[in-house]
Amino acid sequence: MREDRGDREDLHADCAACFGLCCVALPFARSPDFAAGKPAGKPCGNLRADFRCGIHAQLRDKGYPGCTVFDCFGAGQKVSQTTFGGTDWRRAPETAGPMFAVFPVMRQLHELMWYLTEALGLAPARPVHADLRRTLAHVDGLTRGTADSIAKLDANALRDEVNALLLRASDLARAGTPGRRRNHRGADLMGARLMGADLRGASLRGALLVAADLTGADLRDADLIGADLRDADLSGADLTGALFLTQAQLDSARGDTATALPPALTRPAHW
């Protein structure tokens, strides 16, 4: 059972309030996901003077599908408007280096906040809700630190700490799933034929599901945190109540109008 959690507004990207940080701070290599590569700290050639993408409506057609599946979880506007107080790196070039260093760390913090907030919406996980609230408040506090304090954070250590708590919440949430709960945590299921598979309550944490055939699969209440769903076929699959599934994961996959989604997520336009 999942409770309504309507308090994730600040964890959604607001590109209008961001200084195009994902288009500058992060590197990407020329590949099927990106028509051209660039190093970290160099603006993408498609970034306009107003920090908006010049080909946003045509990213897939222009060879940049990788951009369409990136989600900063609201980190971009936090760095732009809170950490640096609305001063952009073009008007104040001295802020560029620190800003670009903070952004990837902030993104990790916001992603953790997204998962923690979702876990608080899982009624069966009530035994760990107090710990989840304390941890969420701690991570939120870290996001409001100085640029220097954020850049120096050991994000990997924090992720390990939060992940242990999320795993407890997941186990509690999936405990009531009928039948045998499969454990495919970290499994290499690339291209696997899982059409119609009963994966209710399964652990697919960190599983490699690239190009897997999941058509008609039952993924209700499955834990999908960190699962790689690039080009996976979710046509007709039931993802109702799937745990820790993000919009970016859906955007990287394939599906159709028959794919059942959690209410907090939207059907990708390219489906």
Side-chain angles (χ1 to χ4, degrees):
M1 182 183 299
R2 187 186 298 268
E3 299 174 345
D4 179 37
R5 299 292 296 179
D7 49 2
R8 285 194 278 188
E9 182 177 352
D10 291 343
L11 301 177
H12 289 279
D14 180 2
C15 296
C18 177
F19 301 142
L21 297 185
C22 65
C23 306
V24 187
L26 305 179
F28 49 80
R30 184 174 182 178
S31 66
D33 288 326
F34 300 100
K38 74 167 198 68
K42 179 181 178 181
C44 171
N46 299 305
L47 184 66
R48 303 187 318 204
D50 62 356
F51 301 113
R52 307 304 290 271
C53 175
I55 60 169
H56 181 73
Q58 303 168 302
L59 281 168
R60 288 184 176 275
D61 294 336
K62 296 289 187 179
Y64 289 86
C67 295
T68 68
V69 301
F70 178 79
D71 188 353
C72 76
F73 296 97
Q77 66 259 27
K78 175 71 75 63
V79 173
S80 300
Q81 304 302 328
T82 301
T83 312
F84 287 87
T87 300
D88 71 71
W89 52 271
R90 279 185 171 140
R91 285 187 299 152
E94 69 277 7
T95 67
M99 192 178 297
F100 301 158
V102 165
F103 175 66
V105 181
M106 185 72 83
R107 185 199 174 276
Q108 291 192 63
L109 297 179
H110 271 234
E111 183 181 15
L112 292 177
M113 289 170 64
W114 177 277
Y115 291 139
L116 287 164
T117 304
E118 176 167 341
L120 281 167
L122 301 174
R126 282 199 181 102
V128 295
H129 276 190
D131 289 336
L132 288 167
R133 289 192 186 92
R134 280 194 293 270
T135 303
L136 178 58
H138 172 61
V139 178
D140 182 52
L142 293 176
T143 71
R144 301 179 190 282
T146 64
D148 187 57
S149 68
I150 295 170
K152 289 180 178 178
L153 282 173
D154 187 342
N156 289 329
L158 180 62
R159 184 175 288 274
D160 288 343
E161 177 185 338
V162 173
N163 188 56
L165 187 54
L166 294 176
L167 183 58
R168 289 169 59 196
S170 173
D171 288 342
L172 288 166
R174 294 180 296 113
T177 304
R180 184 167 67 92
R181 297 186 301 279
R182 299 177 182 272
N183 184 7
H184 295 301
R185 182 177 182 180
D188 184 350
L189 297 171
M190 185 172 180
R193 298 178 180 178
L194 297 168
M195 181 174 59
D198 182 359
L199 295 168
R200 286 176 297 173
S203 174
L204 290 161
R205 298 169 66 88
L208 183 65
L209 288 160
V210 176
D213 182 1
L214 288 160
T215 56
D218 191 344
L219 290 155
R220 286 177 291 173
D221 300 318
D223 186 341
L224 289 164
I225 193 168
D228 192 339
L229 294 172
R230 285 176 296 167
D231 204 35
D233 193 346
L234 297 172
S235 299
D238 190 348
L239 290 154
T240 305
L243 307 180
F244 308 121
L245 179 65
T246 67
Q247 189 64 49
Q249 285 173 299
L250 284 182
D251 290 344
S252 71
R254 293 178 289 130
D256 60 14
T257 56
T259 307
L261 303 177
L265 302 177
T266 59
R267 197 173 309 280
H270 67 278
W271 286 13

